[in-house]
Amino acid sequence: MKSLTITQPDDWHLHLRDGAALADVLPHTARTFARAIIMPNLKPPVTTVALASAYRQRILDAMDAAMRAGKLATGTRFEPLMTLYLTDNTSADEIAKARDSGFVHAVKYYPAGATTNSDAGVSSLERAFPALEAMEKHDLPLLIHGEVTDPRTDLFDRERLFVESQLQTIVSRFPGLRVVAEHITTREAAQFVEQARPGVAATITVHHLLYNRGAIFQGGIRPHFYCLPVLKREEHRLALVAAATSGSPKFFLGTDSAPHPRDLKEHACGCAGVFSAPAALELYAEVFDYEGKIYFLEGFSSHHGADFYRLPRNTAKVTLVKEAWTLPAEFSFGGGTVVPLRAGEQVGWRMA
Ligand code: DOR
Ligand code: ZN
């Protein structure tokens, strides 16, 4: 197949950042995706409906500015689907307010210390039970960064241990709660989700589909491949590819595109995050095509997530063409630059 027309996709896990950086990264996503679930791990984190409302307005203002500046085609529509950042103190009242807002679509659980700006996250799962109960009652999905944080555990085991110790508990203790295991990276997480009750799903990033942990050390240390959860062994990548390309509605597209300035990635203690937005859908197409499953790309990128979130599927279409192009080596990012996934290298598919 040389060209593919599908329903316009959505990105069910995205970091847009804020301020000048927001203005620079938003167009990369909005040129392709109709909607995105916006991660709340700002400084300070988006812990209330009021903060989510203000952040949403900054994103919409950045859309207008990008169109005025010619960085996006006039009339481009992009809907930010906001999330709240769960803390030990998130009240049932705030959850009810979130549900009533109409623009908050989920709540994100970061175990405190698990990743970038997660210090204000949940210090122990039990502390979050009142909020989870309220989310179950109000039918607001829980999005989970699934890694244990005990520093004695091996970095590469943290997701598997989380599945055993916490994910299982959440899913059985709150049987009506809709749950997304975000950016899964292991065979164990994929299997858990596949076998779990209805209302349990997972997002899968394109970098975890394309690369295993060898990419971080290919001929030297490669900080732009460092993210959390960290890339895993090849057997796990293969399990993720099988899940994503299986056609199962439990798996859908979430890039976890997470830009950091070049100098903070190429650093003695580099930040975690892969900036995949500039060619995200094109790279997912590479994966599905390579597997001979390109006909399942539309479900994964444009149907399963909308159905899970109980939102209408998009009506617009996008066309992908199987033609190689070279991605720029870097892009502007809030006064500095950011290096995208596949920087300066070829991408096998392009948007028509
Ligand atoms: O690699 C990551 N970067 N993983 C996360 O969980 C957070 C993200 C970020 O915000 O930079
Ligand atoms: Zn993320």
Side-chain angles (χ1 to χ4, degrees):
M1 195 178 307
K2 289 269 174 272
S3 126
L4 177 73
T5 297
I6 59 172
T7 303
Q8 189 179 11
D10 304 300
D11 185 348
W12 300 101
H13 185 129
L14 178 66
H15 297 269
L16 275 182
R17 310 308 190 203
D18 210 348
L22 163 62
D24 284 330
V25 294
L26 176 61
H28 293 291
T29 291
R31 82 190 163 89
T32 298
F33 296 95
R35 300 171 288 200
I37 285 280
I38 309 300
M39 287 298 131
N41 62 334
L42 304 182
K43 276 187 208 169
V46 181
T47 50
T48 64
V49 176
L51 287 168
S53 171
Y55 185 29
R56 177 172 178 273
Q57 193 55 53
R58 295 198 294 281
I59 296 168
L60 295 176
D61 292 347
M63 276 302 294
D64 288 341
M67 285 187 270
R68 279 198 307 275
K71 290 189 200 163
L72 272 176
T74 315
T76 304
R77 296 242 204 106
F78 175 75
E79 190 183 354
L81 308 171
M82 308 311 291
T83 61
L84 291 193
Y85 182 115
L86 187 67
T87 72
D88 288 351
N89 305 313
T90 305
S91 66
D93 196 44
E94 199 65 34
I95 298 298
K97 254 198 240 167
R99 174 83 279 180
D100 291 345
S101 75
F103 56 79
V104 174
H105 292 266
V107 177
K108 179 72 186 279
Y109 168 27
Y110 292 102
T115 187
T116 311
N117 296 342
S118 64
D119 296 350
V122 174
S123 67
S124 78
L125 179 59
E126 296 69 32
R127 299 234 163 108
F129 282 172
L132 300 193
E133 215 168 277
M135 289 167 62
E136 181 180 38
K137 176 172 158 209
H138 295 287
D139 197 20
L140 199 59
L142 177 70
L143 315 183
I144 301 180
H145 183 111
E147 289 192 284
V148 299
T149 53
D150 183 339
R152 291 166 300 184
T153 57
D154 190 286
L155 179 68
F156 293 93
D157 294 333
R158 286 182 186 175
E159 181 175 285
R160 178 176 58 78
L161 294 170
F162 183 93
V163 171
E164 291 164 11
S165 64
Q166 295 197 37
L167 188 55
Q168 180 74 63
T169 306
I170 294 167
V171 165
S172 53
R173 191 178 173 112
F174 303 97
L177 180 63
R178 279 183 291 153
V179 169
V180 184
E182 296 293 333
H183 46 53
I184 59 168
T185 63
T186 56
R187 176 165 34 85
E188 290 84 357
Q191 266 171 9
F192 178 88
V193 170
E194 183 60 52
Q195 291 162 11
R197 64 163 170 77
V200 178
T203 54
I204 307 182
T205 78
V206 75
H207 44 287
H208 290 99
L209 292 174
L210 285 167
Y211 302 100
N212 64 38
R213 64 189 190 174
I216 309 167
F217 308 103
Q218 195 78 55
I221 187 125
R222 302 213 179 221
H224 297 290
F225 284 100
Y226 174 58
C227 61
L228 289 172
V230 73
L231 295 173
K232 303 294 193 300
R233 285 178 181 277
E234 178 66 2
E235 67 187 85
H236 296 291
R237 187 188 73 83
L238 293 174
L240 299 175
V241 169
T245 64
S246 67
S248 164
K250 293 191 150 199
F251 300 101
F252 42 85
L253 184 157
T255 62
D256 195 17
S257 177
H260 290 277
R262 175 171 212 142
D263 56 324
L264 293 184
K265 291 287 291 176
E266 299 171 6
H267 191 274
C269 185
C271 295
V274 168
F275 180 46
S276 57
L281 183 64
E282 297 88 330
L283 290 170
Y284 279 108
E286 268 189 15
V287 174
F288 279 70
D289 185 30
Y290 187 80
E291 295 300 311
K293 298 280 182 64
I294 194 81
Y295 48 88
F296 276 150
L297 179 65
E298 184 176 38
F300 179 80
S301 65
S302 317
H303 295 163
H304 303 166
D307 297 351
F308 178 89
Y309 278 92
R310 303 195 183 135
L311 292 169
R313 294 178 181 180
N314 297 316
T315 50
K317 303 276 179 196
V318 297
T319 297
L320 285 154
V321 186
K322 191 173 181 177
E323 262 175 30
W325 57 290
T326 302
L327 205 60
E330 59 179 21
F331 293 100
S332 315
F333 185 66
T337 63
V338 57
V339 177
L341 185 64
R342 282 289 168 84
E345 291 176 33
Q346 287 211 331
V347 176
W349 286 75
R350 67 170 179 80
M351 301 285 289

